[in-house]
Amino acid sequence: MSSIAVHGGPTPHAVLRDVVDWGRVVVGTVARGVVATLLGLALWAAAPALIGWQPTTVMTGSMEPRLTPGDVVVSRPVASGEVRTGKILLADDPDQPGHLRMHRYVEDGPGGTLVTKGDANPQQDSTPLERSAVHGVAFLRIPFVGAPVLWLRQGEWVKVVVLALGLTALLALCTVDGSLRRLTALDDDADGSDGGDTAHGSGGGPSDGADTGREARDDAATRLPSATSTVVTRRSLRVHERRVQRLRRFGGAAAVLVIAGSVGVFVPAQAVAVPWSRTTVNPVSNFTAGTATGVPTLTCTAASSSTVTIAWTYTDPTVPSSFDLMNGTTQLATATTAGQRSLVYGGAGLLDLGTTYTLNLRTNLGNNWTATSTPTVKVRVVSVLGLASASCVP
């Protein structure tokens, strides 16, 4: 009489454990890829400084949409004769000594100077650039890498803390599959040691599996003490693997700190222009500096079934260059006519299924002298393939 053993498939617990293990592997791999990408971008932004190129953090929205605040732009040094119209130049700002200006060269000025303009500004810069003031031509843009520099400069500590916590969590996720990788290494080492044990002692003598420090050769005439051997146990392998893992974690954290520090050192922050705030008097003239002020009121009313009218009041004696309707740092519409106190907005975008935006108005005196209104209005935008409509939200 014979019996046949029937073995069932894997238990649900084993299947669930395998799924969890695979999930840990995927999460750890993706996290390490994200860290590698971030380190690569940071290094890409800082490394050109070593060869004399100048990385600069974009601090304002004057060059939107080509350049946005938080981007890092690497400028390549060029001779004054190689500067061409249409290029984005990095130069010393003649209106703000010690600061940098990154605007587009639009035309020649008097005396061989260069007239520049921000892509998002309605007017050209008030003071042309001397060719000797040009540091270089914008050559490479790395998006969003300089955002921490921008947040630190503007005192947005909540974003800085959130970023630090996010990086900490990302580094922790990089090690979520560490135990699985250690087990794999241990299994490989165990397989190798088993093979060695099998090969050890080819004779037919008995073996009790104990290491007594004496030779155990079969048919040996003597039992002389042998050389001291090193016993590799699974515990020692685990200790070694843990030490390696700690070194790797320390090395990864150190690499992040080094790259972040190099970005902070090599990527200077471009200062934001500040309007004058004093009055200068001479015997024949009285000059009073204009200061940008935000509009005191802002309203939204329906203009048609698909557009809205944004209206405001403004009583400051300083005449602005324009009033810009803003969604955060994005300029949606502009009013450039003197005395204009309203504009019509109809929405925009390829696909937007009813998002509500909080809009405000920016008073623009030119050359980045701006002020954003405290009052806001809410507008819901619906758009499909460029066909958009806007409506006011109470």
mmCIF file of all heavy atoms in Angstrom, residues 27-63:
data_model
loop_
_atom_site.group_PDB
_atom_site.id
_atom_site.type_symbol
_atom_site.label_atom_id
_atom_site.label_comp_id
_atom_site.label_asym_id
_atom_site.label_seq_id
_atom_site.Cartn_x
_atom_site.Cartn_y
_atom_site.Cartn_z
ATOM 1 N N VAL A 27 8.144 50.886 -3.675
ATOM 2 C CA VAL A 27 8.205 52.188 -3.009
ATOM 3 C C VAL A 27 9.651 52.610 -2.766
ATOM 4 O O VAL A 27 10.033 53.760 -3.014
ATOM 5 C CB VAL A 27 7.417 52.149 -1.687
ATOM 6 C CG1 VAL A 27 7.664 53.417 -0.876
ATOM 7 C CG2 VAL A 27 5.930 51.996 -1.962
ATOM 8 N N GLY A 28 10.470 51.683 -2.280
ATOM 9 C CA GLY A 28 11.875 52.016 -2.029
ATOM 10 C C GLY A 28 12.612 52.382 -3.299
ATOM 11 O O GLY A 28 13.406 53.328 -3.324
ATOM 12 N N THR A 29 12.343 51.643 -4.384
ATOM 13 C CA THR A 29 13.009 51.936 -5.652
ATOM 14 C C THR A 29 12.597 53.297 -6.191
ATOM 15 O O THR A 29 13.432 54.081 -6.659
ATOM 16 C CB THR A 29 12.687 50.842 -6.676
ATOM 17 O OG1 THR A 29 13.077 49.565 -6.153
ATOM 18 C CG2 THR A 29 13.413 51.096 -7.990
ATOM 19 N N VAL A 30 11.290 53.596 -6.144
ATOM 20 C CA VAL A 30 10.817 54.900 -6.628
ATOM 21 C C VAL A 30 11.391 56.038 -5.782
ATOM 22 O O VAL A 30 11.821 57.071 -6.312
ATOM 23 C CB VAL A 30 9.273 54.942 -6.617
ATOM 24 C CG1 VAL A 30 8.770 56.346 -6.919
ATOM 25 C CG2 VAL A 30 8.708 53.955 -7.641
ATOM 26 N N ALA A 31 11.426 55.852 -4.458
ATOM 27 C CA ALA A 31 11.966 56.895 -3.587
ATOM 28 C C ALA A 31 13.434 57.158 -3.893
ATOM 29 O O ALA A 31 13.873 58.311 -3.952
ATOM 30 C CB ALA A 31 11.781 56.501 -2.120
ATOM 31 N N ARG A 32 14.207 56.104 -4.084
ATOM 32 C CA ARG A 32 15.614 56.294 -4.421
ATOM 33 C C ARG A 32 15.772 56.968 -5.771
ATOM 34 O O ARG A 32 16.690 57.772 -5.977
ATOM 35 C CB ARG A 32 16.350 54.954 -4.403
ATOM 36 C CG ARG A 32 16.530 54.385 -2.994
ATOM 37 C CD ARG A 32 17.467 53.182 -2.996
ATOM 38 N NE ARG A 32 16.840 52.032 -3.643
ATOM 39 C CZ ARG A 32 16.083 51.147 -3.027
ATOM 40 N NH1 ARG A 32 15.824 51.289 -1.730
ATOM 41 N NH2 ARG A 32 15.566 50.118 -3.680
ATOM 42 N N GLY A 33 14.879 56.671 -6.712
ATOM 43 C CA GLY A 33 14.929 57.356 -8.003
ATOM 44 C C GLY A 33 14.632 58.839 -7.883
ATOM 45 O O GLY A 33 15.277 59.668 -8.528
ATOM 46 N N VAL A 34 13.637 59.189 -7.022
ATOM 47 C CA VAL A 34 13.311 60.604 -6.822
ATOM 48 C C VAL A 34 14.477 61.346 -6.173
ATOM 49 O O VAL A 34 14.838 62.457 -6.578
ATOM 50 C CB VAL A 34 12.032 60.738 -5.961
ATOM 51 C CG1 VAL A 34 11.780 62.195 -5.590
ATOM 52 C CG2 VAL A 34 10.824 60.182 -6.715
ATOM 53 N N VAL A 35 15.090 60.721 -5.161
ATOM 54 C CA VAL A 35 16.244 61.353 -4.510
ATOM 55 C C VAL A 35 17.382 61.551 -5.501
ATOM 56 O O VAL A 35 18.028 62.611 -5.535
ATOM 57 C CB VAL A 35 16.702 60.509 -3.307
ATOM 58 C CG1 VAL A 35 18.030 61.002 -2.772
ATOM 59 C CG2 VAL A 35 15.656 60.546 -2.207
ATOM 60 N N ALA A 36 17.639 60.539 -6.326
ATOM 61 C CA ALA A 36 18.700 60.665 -7.322
ATOM 62 C C ALA A 36 18.397 61.784 -8.314
ATOM 63 O O ALA A 36 19.294 62.538 -8.717
ATOM 64 C CB ALA A 36 18.881 59.332 -8.063
ATOM 65 N N THR A 37 17.116 61.920 -8.702
ATOM 66 C CA THR A 37 16.740 62.987 -9.624
ATOM 67 C C THR A 37 16.934 64.363 -8.998
ATOM 68 O O THR A 37 17.472 65.288 -9.626
ATOM 69 C CB THR A 37 15.275 62.814 -10.058
ATOM 70 O OG1 THR A 37 15.105 61.540 -10.678
ATOM 71 C CG2 THR A 37 14.872 63.907 -11.039
ATOM 72 N N LEU A 38 16.508 64.519 -7.735
ATOM 73 C CA LEU A 38 16.668 65.797 -7.045
ATOM 74 C C LEU A 38 18.141 66.149 -6.877
ATOM 75 O O LEU A 38 18.554 67.302 -7.095
ATOM 76 C CB LEU A 38 15.982 65.743 -5.683
ATOM 77 C CG LEU A 38 14.449 65.615 -5.705
ATOM 78 C CD1 LEU A 38 13.911 65.516 -4.285
ATOM 79 C CD2 LEU A 38 13.816 66.806 -6.418
ATOM 80 N N LEU A 39 18.951 65.168 -6.498
ATOM 81 C CA LEU A 39 20.379 65.426 -6.360
ATOM 82 C C LEU A 39 20.998 65.793 -7.704
ATOM 83 O O LEU A 39 21.860 66.677 -7.784
ATOM 84 C CB LEU A 39 21.078 64.201 -5.772
ATOM 85 C CG LEU A 39 20.781 63.885 -4.303
ATOM 86 C CD1 LEU A 39 21.471 62.588 -3.892
ATOM 87 C CD2 LEU A 39 21.240 65.021 -3.410
ATOM 88 N N GLY A 40 20.549 65.124 -8.756
ATOM 89 C CA GLY A 40 21.071 65.447 -10.085
ATOM 90 C C GLY A 40 20.723 66.860 -10.522
ATOM 91 O O GLY A 40 21.560 67.581 -11.066
ATOM 92 N N LEU A 41 19.464 67.282 -10.261
ATOM 93 C CA LEU A 41 19.068 68.649 -10.618
ATOM 94 C C LEU A 41 19.851 69.685 -9.814
ATOM 95 O O LEU A 41 20.293 70.708 -10.354
ATOM 96 C CB LEU A 41 17.563 68.831 -10.390
ATOM 97 C CG LEU A 41 16.632 68.102 -11.358
ATOM 98 C CD1 LEU A 41 15.177 68.278 -10.932
ATOM 99 C CD2 LEU A 41 16.813 68.619 -12.782
ATOM 100 N N ALA A 42 20.000 69.414 -8.506
ATOM 101 C CA ALA A 42 20.755 70.355 -7.677
ATOM 102 C C ALA A 42 22.207 70.455 -8.128
ATOM 103 O O ALA A 42 22.780 71.550 -8.208
ATOM 104 C CB ALA A 42 20.673 69.934 -6.217
ATOM 105 N N LEU A 43 22.807 69.305 -8.431
ATOM 106 C CA LEU A 43 24.184 69.317 -8.906
ATOM 107 C C LEU A 43 24.290 70.006 -10.261
ATOM 108 O O LEU A 43 25.242 70.759 -10.523
ATOM 109 C CB LEU A 43 24.704 67.882 -8.994
ATOM 110 C CG LEU A 43 26.168 67.706 -9.394
ATOM 111 C CD1 LEU A 43 27.068 68.351 -8.352
ATOM 112 C CD2 LEU A 43 26.519 66.229 -9.538
ATOM 113 N N TRP A 44 23.304 69.781 -11.120
ATOM 114 C CA TRP A 44 23.288 70.407 -12.442
ATOM 115 C C TRP A 44 23.191 71.923 -12.317
ATOM 116 O O TRP A 44 23.718 72.663 -13.141
ATOM 117 C CB TRP A 44 22.123 69.857 -13.241
ATOM 118 C CG TRP A 44 22.120 70.204 -14.695
ATOM 119 C CD1 TRP A 44 21.251 71.023 -15.352
ATOM 120 C CD2 TRP A 44 23.015 69.707 -15.698
ATOM 121 N NE1 TRP A 44 21.552 71.088 -16.678
ATOM 122 C CE2 TRP A 44 22.635 70.289 -16.925
ATOM 123 C CE3 TRP A 44 24.109 68.846 -15.669
ATOM 124 C CZ2 TRP A 44 23.314 70.034 -18.120
ATOM 125 C CZ3 TRP A 44 24.778 68.588 -16.855
ATOM 126 C CH2 TRP A 44 24.382 69.173 -18.056
ATOM 127 N N ALA A 45 22.492 72.400 -11.274
ATOM 128 C CA ALA A 45 22.352 73.845 -11.076
ATOM 129 C C ALA A 45 23.602 74.468 -10.481
ATOM 130 O O ALA A 45 23.920 75.621 -10.775
ATOM 131 C CB ALA A 45 21.149 74.126 -10.168
ATOM 132 N N ALA A 46 24.322 73.722 -9.631
ATOM 133 C CA ALA A 46 25.463 74.307 -8.922
ATOM 134 C C ALA A 46 26.796 74.082 -9.624
ATOM 135 O O ALA A 46 27.701 74.916 -9.526
ATOM 136 C CB ALA A 46 25.524 73.740 -7.508
ATOM 137 N N ALA A 47 26.930 72.956 -10.332
ATOM 138 C CA ALA A 47 28.219 72.599 -10.912
ATOM 139 C C ALA A 47 28.759 73.625 -11.910
ATOM 140 O O ALA A 47 29.970 73.845 -11.956
ATOM 141 C CB ALA A 47 28.131 71.212 -11.561
ATOM 142 N N PRO A 48 27.922 74.273 -12.773
ATOM 143 C CA PRO A 48 28.489 75.230 -13.739
ATOM 144 C C PRO A 48 29.282 76.353 -13.105
ATOM 145 O O PRO A 48 30.117 76.973 -13.776
ATOM 146 C CB PRO A 48 27.244 75.764 -14.467
ATOM 147 C CG PRO A 48 26.246 74.663 -14.365
ATOM 148 C CD PRO A 48 26.481 74.060 -13.026
ATOM 149 N N ALA A 49 29.043 76.648 -11.823
ATOM 150 C CA ALA A 49 29.811 77.708 -11.163
ATOM 151 C C ALA A 49 31.293 77.363 -11.094
ATOM 152 O O ALA A 49 32.140 78.256 -11.011
ATOM 153 C CB ALA A 49 29.254 77.965 -9.768
ATOM 154 N N LEU A 50 31.612 76.070 -11.127
ATOM 155 C CA LEU A 50 33.002 75.649 -11.046
ATOM 156 C C LEU A 50 33.787 76.001 -12.302
ATOM 157 O O LEU A 50 35.021 76.061 -12.254
ATOM 158 C CB LEU A 50 33.072 74.141 -10.786
ATOM 159 C CG LEU A 50 32.398 73.651 -9.488
ATOM 160 C CD1 LEU A 50 32.465 72.138 -9.401
ATOM 161 C CD2 LEU A 50 33.062 74.290 -8.272
ATOM 162 N N ILE A 51 33.108 76.223 -13.422
ATOM 163 C CA ILE A 51 33.802 76.572 -14.671
ATOM 164 C C ILE A 51 33.589 78.039 -15.042
ATOM 165 O O ILE A 51 33.815 78.432 -16.183
ATOM 166 C CB ILE A 51 33.355 75.660 -15.826
ATOM 167 C CG1 ILE A 51 31.849 75.787 -16.081
ATOM 168 C CG2 ILE A 51 33.717 74.213 -15.544
ATOM 169 C CD1 ILE A 51 31.375 75.018 -17.309
ATOM 170 N N GLY A 52 33.127 78.838 -14.079
ATOM 171 C CA GLY A 52 33.006 80.268 -14.321
ATOM 172 C C GLY A 52 31.649 80.733 -14.806
ATOM 173 O O GLY A 52 31.458 81.934 -15.002
ATOM 174 N N TRP A 53 30.688 79.814 -15.000
ATOM 175 C CA TRP A 53 29.341 80.224 -15.371
ATOM 176 C C TRP A 53 28.598 80.643 -14.107
ATOM 177 O O TRP A 53 28.991 80.267 -13.001
ATOM 178 C CB TRP A 53 28.607 79.099 -16.086
ATOM 179 C CG TRP A 53 29.210 78.773 -17.433
ATOM 180 C CD1 TRP A 53 30.468 79.063 -17.861
ATOM 181 C CD2 TRP A 53 28.587 78.074 -18.495
ATOM 182 N NE1 TRP A 53 30.682 78.589 -19.129
ATOM 183 C CE2 TRP A 53 29.541 77.972 -19.550
ATOM 184 C CE3 TRP A 53 27.343 77.508 -18.672
ATOM 185 C CZ2 TRP A 53 29.252 77.347 -20.749
ATOM 186 C CZ3 TRP A 53 27.051 76.874 -19.869
ATOM 187 C CH2 TRP A 53 28.001 76.807 -20.900
ATOM 188 N N GLN A 54 27.542 81.402 -14.247
ATOM 189 C CA GLN A 54 26.886 81.990 -13.078
ATOM 190 C C GLN A 54 25.447 81.517 -12.949
ATOM 191 O O GLN A 54 24.571 81.940 -13.696
ATOM 192 C CB GLN A 54 26.921 83.523 -13.153
ATOM 193 C CG GLN A 54 26.395 84.194 -11.899
ATOM 194 C CD GLN A 54 26.753 85.659 -11.835
ATOM 195 O OE1 GLN A 54 27.482 86.166 -12.682
ATOM 196 N NE2 GLN A 54 26.237 86.357 -10.839
ATOM 197 N N PRO A 55 25.150 80.633 -11.974
ATOM 198 C CA PRO A 55 23.755 80.275 -11.688
ATOM 199 C C PRO A 55 23.076 81.387 -10.894
ATOM 200 O O PRO A 55 23.678 81.983 -9.999
ATOM 201 C CB PRO A 55 23.875 78.994 -10.849
ATOM 202 C CG PRO A 55 25.315 78.576 -10.948
ATOM 203 C CD PRO A 55 26.085 79.827 -11.183
ATOM 204 N N THR A 56 21.834 81.661 -11.214
ATOM 205 C CA THR A 56 21.078 82.719 -10.549
ATOM 206 C C THR A 56 19.662 82.239 -10.298
ATOM 207 O O THR A 56 19.048 81.621 -11.164
ATOM 208 C CB THR A 56 21.033 83.992 -11.418
ATOM 209 O OG1 THR A 56 22.361 84.358 -11.794
ATOM 210 C CG2 THR A 56 20.387 85.144 -10.667
ATOM 211 N N THR A 57 19.158 82.522 -9.107
ATOM 212 C CA THR A 57 17.780 82.184 -8.777
ATOM 213 C C THR A 57 16.847 83.304 -9.218
ATOM 214 O O THR A 57 17.083 84.468 -8.911
ATOM 215 C CB THR A 57 17.629 81.972 -7.266
ATOM 216 O OG1 THR A 57 18.507 80.929 -6.848
ATOM 217 C CG2 THR A 57 16.203 81.584 -6.915
ATOM 218 N N VAL A 58 15.803 82.954 -9.954
ATOM 219 C CA VAL A 58 14.804 83.930 -10.396
ATOM 220 C C VAL A 58 13.895 84.247 -9.208
ATOM 221 O O VAL A 58 13.258 83.354 -8.648
ATOM 222 C CB VAL A 58 13.978 83.379 -11.575
ATOM 223 C CG1 VAL A 58 12.921 84.378 -12.001
ATOM 224 C CG2 VAL A 58 14.901 83.049 -12.749
ATOM 225 N N MET A 59 13.832 85.525 -8.836
ATOM 226 C CA MET A 59 13.106 85.924 -7.637
ATOM 227 C C MET A 59 11.773 86.598 -7.930
ATOM 228 O O MET A 59 10.948 86.741 -7.037
ATOM 229 C CB MET A 59 13.971 86.870 -6.794
ATOM 230 C CG MET A 59 15.288 86.271 -6.351
ATOM 231 S SD MET A 59 15.091 84.866 -5.227
ATOM 232 C CE MET A 59 14.492 85.707 -3.762
ATOM 233 N N THR A 60 11.547 87.068 -9.143
ATOM 234 C CA THR A 60 10.312 87.783 -9.474
ATOM 235 C C THR A 60 9.678 87.170 -10.712
ATOM 236 O O THR A 60 10.292 86.366 -11.419
ATOM 237 C CB THR A 60 10.587 89.281 -9.721
ATOM 238 O OG1 THR A 60 11.359 89.425 -10.926
ATOM 239 C CG2 THR A 60 11.338 89.902 -8.547
ATOM 240 N N GLY A 61 8.454 87.591 -10.998
ATOM 241 C CA GLY A 61 7.727 87.079 -12.166
ATOM 242 C C GLY A 61 7.835 87.969 -13.382
ATOM 243 O O GLY A 61 6.994 87.862 -14.282
ATOM 244 N N SER A 62 8.855 88.821 -13.456
ATOM 245 C CA SER A 62 8.945 89.760 -14.584
ATOM 246 C C SER A 62 9.253 89.071 -15.899
ATOM 247 O O SER A 62 9.054 89.669 -16.966
ATOM 248 C CB SER A 62 10.019 90.818 -14.298
ATOM 249 O OG SER A 62 11.298 90.212 -14.158
ATOM 250 N N MET A 63 9.750 87.833 -15.874
ATOM 251 C CA MET A 63 10.072 87.128 -17.118
ATOM 252 C C MET A 63 9.114 85.966 -17.385
ATOM 253 O O MET A 63 9.419 85.091 -18.196
ATOM 254 C CB MET A 63 11.514 86.608 -17.062
ATOM 255 C CG MET A 63 12.565 87.677 -17.257
ATOM 256 S SD MET A 63 12.464 88.469 -18.871
ATOM 257 C CE MET A 63 12.862 87.090 -19.947
#
